[in-house]
Amino acid sequence: MRRLKVIISYDGTQFSGYQVQPGERTVQAELERVLNIMHKGEKVKVTASGRTDAKVHAIGQTLHFDTPLAIPVENYMKALNVQLPRDIRVMSVEEVAADFHARYSVTGKRYRYIWSCEPVQSPFRRHYTVETNGVKPNVGAMQEAAKAIIGTHDFSCFCAANTSVKDKVRTVTTLQFEWRGEELHMVIEGNGFLYNMVRIIAGTLWEVGIGRRDIENVELVVKSMNRDKAGKTAPPQGLYLEKVFY
């Protein structure tokens, strides 16, 4: 039995998220469908670094599965891509040690969130950026407010209320903003992220950028550990899981 580590990219637009859900189209279901065909009907379970929600994209989602097949890794990649739908691509396949775990071996993740600040959003970017109707925020204020988020905190304030996770302490190591043409990108790295955490941070800092929230308020939000004190959850189509670190 071999354990394979696979990095995939996917366009989340037409998916109900990563994780298998009855009656829904999901990334995991598509992957396992193809693997089951390759294994002559034998069920193969795929384990990912974590799930993503409906319409959220991934550039570097990482997963693993075990296989008895002796197919060379480069051929595995080709075989998967031939049979997978075009909105999922396998970017790399490598054989790893049996104790590698796509979820539990993670040391950190990087996410990217993108707003389209052009006066009229391109129709070709509507599924991949969040439209601001030409509003350009004060990025300097957003960057200053972000300082209160960097570090180790209980991030209950930036976590969806319906999560079952008890320990909400996480460490954010990087939170930066950058302009790419008319698009504003937020890049955030940390040792782990709670359910909807990146999108709630994006929504909260956006409020700072457009003057609806003071810079100093973000520190109070973090200290409050109260979801009701933070901003709205930003829309899903602007979010990308960019890289998983091991």
Side-chain angles (χ1 to χ4, degrees):
M1 191 69 70
R2 308 156 69 203
R3 178 157 292 190
L4 299 183
K5 173 187 174 186
V6 182
I7 297 178
I8 61 172
S9 294
Y10 50 86
D11 175 348
T13 306
Q14 301 297 326
F15 289 107
S16 297
Y18 171 82
Q19 194 171 30
V20 168
Q21 302 174 52
E24 300 288 345
R25 183 173 187 254
T26 67
V27 177
Q28 183 181 5
E30 291 286 2
L31 286 164
E32 292 183 349
R33 176 185 63 81
V34 171
L35 285 169
N36 291 347
I37 292 171
M38 293 175 65
H39 289 76
K40 309 298 184 185
E42 181 182 340
K43 289 192 174 182
V44 178
K45 180 174 174 54
V46 170
T47 300
S49 68
R51 67 182 187 178
T52 53
D53 288 339
K55 301 187 185 303
V56 173
H57 314 291
I59 298 170
Q61 172 70 285
T62 304
L63 52 92
H64 82 258
F65 62 87
D66 295 328
T67 176
L69 303 182
I71 303 172
V73 290
E74 60 272 15
N75 292 351
Y76 232 118
M77 186 168 121
K78 292 175 183 176
L80 286 166
N81 280 332
V82 164
Q83 299 178 78
L84 283 167
R86 283 295 302 167
D87 46 5
I88 305 175
R89 292 291 88 181
V90 174
M91 309 307 293
S92 70
V93 179
E94 65 174 298
E95 189 166 347
V96 290
D99 62 352
F100 172 83
H101 196 283
R103 180 180 177 188
Y104 298 125
S105 299
V106 172
T107 59
K109 291 182 179 179
R110 180 195 302 143
Y111 284 90
R112 183 176 296 268
Y113 196 88
I114 307 176
W115 293 271
S116 169
C117 300
E118 54 196 340
V120 179
Q121 185 188 39
S122 164
F124 304 109
R125 294 292 285 161
R126 73 190 188 282
H127 296 310
Y128 311 107
T129 63
V130 172
E131 185 174 17
T132 71
N133 297 309
V135 173
K136 290 189 175 181
N138 180 341
V139 177
M142 296 170 78
Q143 192 69 70
E144 186 64 26
K147 292 178 180 177
I149 297 171
I150 296 171
T152 301
H153 308 281
D154 181 316
F155 281 110
S156 296
C157 60
F158 295 132
C159 179
N162 60 343
T163 183
S164 60
V165 175
K166 301 298 183 185
D167 181 8
K168 297 184 177 68
V169 175
R170 299 290 186 274
T171 300
V172 172
T173 54
T174 301
L175 207 177
Q176 296 181 330
F177 294 89
E178 56 188 45
W179 284 105
R180 293 195 178 182
E182 296 290 292
E183 292 181 355
L184 177 63
H185 291 225
M186 181 185 84
V187 181
I188 184 168
E189 288 184 16
N191 67 348
F193 293 88
L194 301 165
Y195 183 42
N196 280 350
M197 180 172 163
V198 178
R199 289 168 59 193
I200 298 171
I201 288 174
T204 303
L205 292 178
W206 178 260
E207 291 180 4
V208 173
I210 61 175
R212 289 186 185 170
R213 185 183 295 268
D214 293 336
I215 294 172
E216 296 77 17
N217 176 259
V218 175
E219 183 176 1
L220 298 177
V221 170
V222 174
K223 289 180 177 178
S224 76
M225 296 184 290
N226 186 343
R227 171 65 187 94
D228 293 336
K229 300 292 185 182
K232 293 181 179 179
T233 304
Q237 70 270 22
L239 182 61
Y240 297 75
L241 171 56
E242 188 164 276
K243 187 175 178 62
V244 183
F245 299 98
Y246 293 94

